[in-house]
Amino acid sequence: MDKSFEPSQIESKWYAHWEANGYFKPSGKGTPYTIMLPPPNVTGTLHMGHAFQHTIMDTLVRYHRMRGFDTLWQLGTDHAGIATEMVVTRQLNAEGKQRSDFGRDAFIERVWEWKKESGGTIGRQMRRMGVSGDWSREVFTMDEGPSQAVVETFVRLHEEGLIYRGQKLVNWDPVLKTAISDLEVVSEEEDGSLWSIRYPLADGSGELIVATTRPETMLGDVAVAVHPDDERYAHLVGRMLKLPLSDREIPIIADDYVEKEFGTGCVKITPAHDFNDYAIGQRHDLPLINILTDDAAINDAAPAKYRGMDRYVARKAVLADLEAQELLVETKKHKLQVPRGDRTGQVIEPYLTWQWFVKMDTLAARGLELVEQGQVKFVPENWINTYRHWLGNIQDWCISRQLTWGHRIPAWYTADGGIVVAHDEAEAKAIAASRGYAGELRRDDDVLETWFSSALWSHSTLGWPDPKAQAERGFDRYLPTNVLVTGFDIIFFWVARMIMMTDHFTGEVPFKDVYVTGLIRDKDGQKMSKSKGNVLDPLDLIDGITLDDLLTKRTRGLMQPKMAEKIDKATRKEFAEGIPAFGADALRFTFASLATHGRDIKFDLERCGGYKAFVNKLWNASRFVLMNLGDGPVTPVAPSTEAERWILTRLRDTLATVKEQLALYRFDLVAQALYEFTWNEFCDWFLELSKPALNGDDAGAIASTRYTLVHVLETLLRALHPLIPFVTEEIWQNVRPVLGIEGDTIMLRPYPEADDITADVAATAEIEWVKDVLTSVRRIRSEMNIAPGKVIPLFFADGEASDRARATKFAAQVAFLGRVESPTWIEGDEPAAAVAVVGGMRVLIPLEGLIDLGAEKTRLAKEIARVEGEIRKCEAKLGNANFVANAPAEVVEQERQRIADWTRQADAMREQARKLGG
């Protein structure tokens, strides 16, 4: 092994080896274990959320693969209708061409060309993270199989009366000129205004004052609403108002939606331009007057003066006219939530259009039932409340989009306005003919939103609805899948819809568990966003990046260029030297350590640095082991020393913890257990404890210690492999021949089981005693500034018979590792000494000629104060009647024992302080 570990040199080598040999493919043997990758956008690049979730999924897949499961990690990408259309349109613009220059088929052909050339970026980046999914089965949502599933789903749902075409309000992006989903709308607080406007009664007998943040929409008002119990306006309900700037009259209505205490208690109702108003309009059978075009200009339904104006130009004109007619009462600054499209940044309009919808009431009831019955479980459990809330307040699902790229809606229109839904045009003509229509059919130009095909992901990727494809792709074997790893923000948009659709069409749930991850934020808890300039690129953490390149990446293409200076300053402060290369393993281990069951995850680069040190520690420990094995292969030998039996016991305990916590999806506790065993017990302690045996004269101890060293290392490498695959593979390839292990890769070796290791409680107690003694000696050395290499006297006092037996048994090890003279027991008068307490035994290092007497008095005082604090904590618990009454008896007894132990230590140290004149 090389002296230093260089991630870049081994990561690409081993990934290429694994993929080329087909190690990621399902074996077809054993119990199936399936994970469906939430398909990232084909336009996308790897971000921190992807890298985090991919680490979790890869850990689960590698772990189960090593345990003999038939693992399928289904990979794929989403066609990302809006994003892809925007990317290709920009590409055309850069060539001096316009989208309008291309017909539908020609544009789609350009999209496929782009996909072939540039659509695999995120797949290449995922490989850098070590994703061990089956690339040979990769699916694109526009492939033939998923496209067939989309058409079949649409046709069946339509036949069942669950899909219909209707005119409703949708979120409308006036730049893209399409409906978009709630998930694609980002609402943030912005500075705005609140205008108060007079609405005169039609008979001239008075007026109502109405406040609005969107005065241009008043051109589409159809009523003013007050609360039914508002005594101020009860006599006016049913009367008519003259709509300002218009020749229309509108009624005053009463509705519980209105808040009496808010503003004047009068609300303008514009059902075609506000979701809440739309609901009121439905209750009161009000007309729908849409006053906007699809690019947010004023249309012909508004008064002639404003027609053709952009919505914001119209706003200024409306306000000017209101002021001129003395109808504008007041203008106030106002903070408001402004909805913007996440792709264009444009303000989104509630817009009345004809769209295709899925009726959700029956499907949602079934989706809720499956979760309530436990057929699908959420981890953590609290996310079921989010699921319940959304499904309990569900609206019909708008599935159509006014785009070119995507799954075209399988619906055709007759000349007289009839609709025919069919699998293809030939079938549509046959259906039309059966209805007595023989004319031309025009296909719907809209496409289905991306979430529609994504909702079918778990079964369409396994070949549904084609029986032959299902047999080839293992439909019956791999569905239901085991776990979906996803973020909480798409529980409704994707998770719920997959549950509903998979159950409806296959009778199976799509997955048994839903592991909901938190959101990766920056070290200060801020959401990562390009506009804030705090985004981290996972590949920059793996490969490193200079400050100049990082500044360029963070300040280029900002929607708000004025933020560039602020971002530049913050980046220079946080990353003065750029970002060092941590390697994929260190990044993966960092993600695992952060994978708690919380909602938000703060990502601190310092942790990444700490886990790079961890990987280096494992590398160096492995080099030590290999350098101390002598010549030739090592043959199995039963452990002959307590140190060997202790490390094996601790390994067993660690493996048991890992298995337990992985079953609970507590990746943070898995990482913690493996870290503590690797760093503290194996690298820091066992390598040290092995040295006396390796340097001694006992041939049996030498042989067994060598075998235990390399056996524990090989087992540890297998235990760590799901989390840090690259470094464990590289080290294992060096360890394998020493142990005579057959096989080409660690990833196909069995995952170690705790039950295969024999525990030795007695040996563990012995070694813990040695560790406590050595820790005490080293602490005194450090606190007293005694040179680490200086051999010093060591005395023991008090203690029990077992302490004396251990002192004799481990005298050589304590002397060798502690750099002390062979321990001596003191009877009678004691010299002034620094003291530590191990159980009932005192560990003493004479002060004369070694240490500062005053410093030792100070150290003892601090230690006594610390122990007295522990005693008070225990006494407080035992003094609590509720604790004593309700805690398990063994817990109460444990607290009593702790008091006894702490008190004994405190008494010993007080006695020592007395001897020093303290």
Side-chain angles (χ1 to χ4, degrees):
M1 287 176 62
D2 294 338
K3 187 173 182 179
S4 61
F5 169 59
E6 298 296 336
S8 60
Q9 296 178 11
I10 69 165
E11 290 175 1
S12 58
K13 173 183 73 174
W14 285 119
Y15 195 91
H17 179 77
W18 294 330
E19 187 175 358
N21 283 276
Y23 294 149
F24 303 154
K25 297 180 180 180
S27 66
K29 302 174 184 176
T31 303
Y33 184 85
T34 315
I35 291 181
M36 294 287 173
L37 175 79
N41 287 354
V42 69
T43 59
T45 56
L46 192 73
H47 58 61
M48 291 292 279
H50 287 137
F52 174 55
Q53 292 179 355
H54 294 173
T55 295
I56 288 171
M57 284 181 268
D58 194 50
T59 297
L60 289 169
V61 167
R62 288 180 182 270
Y63 171 69
H64 284 88
R65 184 185 291 122
M66 294 177 77
R67 290 181 62 203
F69 285 76
D70 178 19
T71 53
L72 167 61
W73 187 4
Q74 177 63 57
L75 305 180
T77 48
D78 187 280
H79 62 277
I82 292 175
T84 303
E85 196 153 315
M86 289 181 68
V87 166
V88 177
T89 299
R90 287 196 198 108
Q91 191 181 65
L92 292 173
N93 294 342
E95 298 172 7
K97 303 172 184 176
Q98 299 297 318
R99 166 69 182 86
S100 56
D101 298 337
F102 290 75
R104 185 184 195 100
D105 293 341
F107 181 76
I108 290 174
E109 186 177 339
R110 278 297 301 256
V111 176
W112 278 112
E113 287 176 11
W114 171 86
K115 197 267 182 185
K116 184 178 179 181
E117 296 170 5
S118 307
T121 299
I122 196 167
R124 292 187 290 274
Q125 294 173 326
M126 287 165 64
R127 287 171 166 88
R128 295 294 314 281
M129 284 295 300
V131 163
S132 65
D134 186 1
W135 293 103
S136 70
R137 294 172 58 116
E138 186 179 8
V139 171
F140 179 49
T141 50
M142 289 293 288
D143 286 345
E144 183 179 352
S147 296
Q148 181 186 358
V150 166
V151 171
E152 182 67 23
T153 300
F154 189 98
V155 171
R156 285 202 206 175
L157 289 176
H158 185 265
E159 289 173 348
E160 295 168 12
L162 294 176
I163 277 183
Y164 65 93
R165 190 167 185 262
Q167 188 184 36
K168 292 186 179 184
L169 276 194
V170 296
N171 294 311
W172 186 264
D173 189 310
V175 172
L176 297 174
K177 297 183 183 179
T178 180
I180 61 175
S181 72
D182 289 346
L183 193 64
E184 293 156 329
V185 178
V186 179
S187 293
E188 294 187 352
E189 188 175 79
E190 298 182 17
D191 291 329
S193 298
L194 183 67
W195 291 277
S196 295
I197 303 167
R198 302 180 198 275
Y199 279 48
L201 285 162
D203 61 6
S205 62
E207 64 187 16
L208 293 182
I209 306 297
V210 173
T212 181
T213 59
R214 300 162 66 212
E216 69 280 7
T217 63
M218 68 184 295
L219 302 175
D221 282 358
V222 297
V224 168
V226 297
H227 193 278
D229 299 331
D230 195 331
E231 296 177 356
R232 293 172 295 176
Y233 307 116
H235 65 290
L236 295 176
V237 174
R239 302 270 297 277
M240 301 298 287
L241 295 165
K242 179 173 174 51
L243 180 63
L245 313 182
S246 171
D247 58 1
R248 291 191 290 115
E249 292 186 2
I250 59 176
I252 300 170
I253 64 173
D255 194 279
D256 289 336
Y257 169 77
V258 180
E259 297 179 31
K260 290 191 294 183
E261 295 77 18
F262 184 77
T264 61
C266 302
V267 178
K268 62 190 286 295
I269 305 301
T270 320
H273 294 284
D274 183 278
F275 288 103
N276 292 318
D277 290 5
Y278 180 84
I280 294 173
Q282 294 294 296
R283 287 196 291 273
H284 295 268
D285 196 25
L286 297 173
L288 298 166
I289 301 178
N290 172 30
I291 51 98
L292 290 178
T293 62
D294 61 4
D295 59 352
I298 304 300
N299 68 16
D300 291 348
K305 177 178 182 179
Y306 307 104
R307 293 172 188 172
M309 291 182 179
D310 173 80
R311 54 185 163 169
Y312 295 120
V313 174
R315 175 177 294 181
K316 292 179 180 178
V318 164
L319 290 170
D321 290 345
L322 288 171
E323 190 162 23
Q325 296 181 27
E326 298 184 346
L327 295 174
L328 185 62
V329 178
E330 184 182 30
T331 301
K332 293 195 301 184
K333 290 182 179 180
H334 183 68
K335 295 282 188 182
L336 66 159
Q337 291 290 321
V338 177
R340 293 184 180 273
D342 66 345
R343 302 289 181 189
T344 62
Q346 290 295 312
V347 175
I348 297 304
E349 289 288 344
Y351 189 61
L352 187 67
T353 62
W354 283 92
Q355 303 285 348
W356 288 91
F357 295 87
V358 177
K359 290 181 67 174
M360 297 302 293
D361 48 2
T362 303
L363 291 169
R366 176 60 177 163
L368 189 57
E369 179 185 17
L370 290 168
V371 171
E372 297 289 9
Q373 291 176 348
Q375 290 175 255
V376 178
K377 297 179 181 177
F378 279 87
V379 181
E381 290 183 1
N382 60 288
W383 287 113
I384 193 176
N385 296 324
T386 301
Y387 183 84
R388 284 182 185 131
H389 174 74
W390 274 331
L391 290 193
N393 296 275
I394 202 163
Q395 302 292 319
D396 286 354
W397 172 18
C398 176
I399 56 174
S400 46
R401 295 292 181 267
Q402 290 63 56
L403 302 169
T404 304
W405 174 243
H407 296 104
R408 195 170 179 181
I409 289 175
W412 286 259
Y413 298 96
T414 63
D416 56 1
I419 300 176
V420 180
V421 170
H423 292 87
D424 53 40
E425 187 171 5
E427 184 182 56
K429 287 181 176 179
I431 294 172
S434 71
R435 298 175 183 172
Y437 179 82
E440 290 295 315
L441 293 175
R442 178 182 60 83
R443 186 165 183 181
D444 197 311
D445 286 327
D446 289 354
V447 299
L448 288 158
E449 79 148 331
T450 303
W451 294 108
F452 189 86
S453 51
S454 295
L456 317 179
W457 186 247
S458 57
H459 54 285
S460 67
T461 53
L462 293 175
W464 185 91
D466 181 353
K468 182 180 177 182
Q470 288 179 228
E472 291 173 351
R473 298 186 70 84
F475 179 89
D476 292 332
R477 181 167 180 77
Y478 298 116
L479 189 71
T481 68
N482 292 77
V483 59
L484 178 72
V485 179
T486 190
F488 60 80
D489 52 338
I490 56 174
I491 288 176
F492 173 65
F493 288 95
W494 191 44
V495 177
R497 289 168 179 169
M498 276 215 287
I499 292 172
M500 290 184 274
M501 289 297 181
T502 307
D503 168 73
H504 189 75
F505 287 102
T506 74
E508 299 281 2
V509 294
F511 28 70
K512 298 169 187 173
D513 293 343
V514 181
Y515 173 59
V516 181
T517 67
L519 178 70
I520 296 286
R521 297 180 177 270
D522 69 12
K523 65 181 180 61
D524 300 316
Q526 295 294 310
K527 186 175 181 178
M528 291 188 182
S529 70
K530 186 172 176 60
S531 63
K532 293 179 180 177
N534 62 347
V535 170
L536 289 172
D537 183 335
L539 295 188
D540 290 342
L541 303 182
I542 293 173
D543 297 329
I545 187 172
T546 65
L547 175 61
D548 287 344
D549 287 345
L550 183 60
L551 288 170
T552 299
K553 181 178 285 191
R554 287 187 159 192
T555 57
R556 183 177 53 206
L558 292 171
M559 288 180 63
Q560 301 179 52
K562 62 183 180 181
M563 293 293 294
E565 184 178 348
K566 182 179 179 181
I567 292 169
D568 184 293
K569 184 177 180 181
T571 301
R572 289 180 186 277
K573 181 179 179 181
E574 186 173 0
F575 304 106
E577 305 296 326
I579 297 175
F582 295 111
D585 286 320
L587 179 58
R588 287 170 61 112
F589 206 93
T590 303
F591 281 133
S593 73
L594 294 169
T596 66
H597 282 182
R599 184 184 179 101
D600 294 323
I601 298 167
K602 293 182 182 179
F603 188 91
D604 190 343
L605 219 59
E606 289 185 8
R607 291 191 75 152
C608 223
Y611 291 121
K612 181 182 180 182
F614 169 76
V615 173
N616 286 332
K617 182 100 168 178
L618 176 65
W619 181 268
N620 292 329
S622 302
R623 291 184 70 247
F624 171 87
V625 171
L626 292 171
M627 288 189 297
N628 280 277
L629 295 182
D631 299 326
V634 175
T635 56
V637 182
S640 63
T641 67
E642 281 79 3
E644 295 170 72
R645 291 190 283 271
W646 165 78
I647 195 65
L648 288 166
T649 303
R650 290 300 306 124
L651 178 59
R652 175 191 169 96
D653 294 344
T654 300
L655 293 175
T657 298
V658 167
K659 185 175 184 178
E660 176 186 358
Q661 298 304 333
L662 274 174
L664 299 173
Y665 302 103
R666 288 302 303 265
F667 299 92
D668 56 328
L669 299 182
V670 170
Q672 179 183 329
L674 288 168
Y675 180 94
E676 290 180 354
F677 176 84
T678 304
W679 188 292
N680 299 324
E681 295 173 323
F682 182 69
C683 296
D684 280 357
W685 278 110
F686 185 59
L687 297 193
E688 289 297 307
L689 290 168
S690 69
K691 290 176 181 177
L694 295 173
N695 294 319
D697 299 325
D698 186 337
I702 293 173
S704 67
T705 298
R706 283 176 171 169
Y707 175 72
T708 301
L709 274 168
V710 72
H711 168 61
V712 171
L713 174 60
E714 195 274 340
T715 305
L716 177 58
L717 292 172
R718 285 185 282 134
L720 285 165
H721 177 75
L723 287 175
I724 48 175
F726 296 111
V727 68
T728 50
E729 181 74 88
E730 179 73 13
I731 297 171
W732 185 84
Q733 294 291 342
N734 288 274
V735 169
R736 177 178 63 81
V738 175
L739 289 169
I741 296 173
E742 297 290 332
D744 180 59
T745 174
I746 190 175
M747 67 179 288
L748 298 184
R749 289 281 292 159
Y751 197 84
E753 293 284 349
D755 291 345
D756 294 337
I757 302 172
T758 302
D760 191 326
V761 178
T764 298
E766 302 264 84
I767 295 302
E768 292 298 334
W769 181 91
V770 173
K771 286 172 59 186
D772 288 345
V773 170
L774 291 171
T775 300
S776 298
V777 171
R778 290 169 180 170
R779 185 170 69 247
I780 292 173
R781 274 187 182 277
S782 174
E783 292 172 349
M784 296 296 107
N785 291 318
I786 301 172
K790 182 178 179 62
V791 177
I792 57 176
L794 176 64
F795 298 120
F796 294 151
D798 303 331
E800 301 173 0
S802 60
D803 292 313
R804 291 180 178 268
R806 288 167 176 165
T808 301
K809 186 175 184 178
F810 296 106
Q813 287 91 330
V814 170
F816 179 86
L817 296 173
R819 300 291 291 167
V820 296
E821 297 172 0
S822 187
T824 303
W825 284 89
I826 294 181
E827 307 289 351
D829 294 338
E830 299 175 7
V835 65
V837 180
V838 175
M841 181 184 77
R842 286 182 298 129
V843 178
L844 302 96
I845 294 178
L847 297 172
E848 187 175 354
L850 287 177
I851 54 179
D852 183 324
L853 194 63
E856 175 57 9
K857 289 179 180 179
T858 301
R859 186 190 73 83
L860 270 175
K862 288 181 180 178
E863 188 65 10
I864 289 169
R866 182 185 72 81
V867 171
E868 287 175 342
E870 296 293 342
I871 292 172
R872 285 193 294 273
K873 289 179 188 177
C874 294
E875 288 176 338
K877 283 186 179 181
L878 293 174
N880 184 328
N882 288 333
F883 172 78
V884 175
N886 298 320
E890 61 270 20
V891 173
V892 175
E893 182 55 35
Q894 183 182 42
E895 290 300 317
R896 291 190 175 120
Q897 185 59 48
R898 282 164 59 84
I899 285 184
D901 292 342
W902 288 124
T903 300
R904 185 166 54 190
Q905 288 193 31
D907 289 343
M909 288 186 288
R910 290 192 194 99
E911 176 61 18
Q912 184 63 20
R914 185 188 64 75
K915 291 178 181 178
L916 295 179

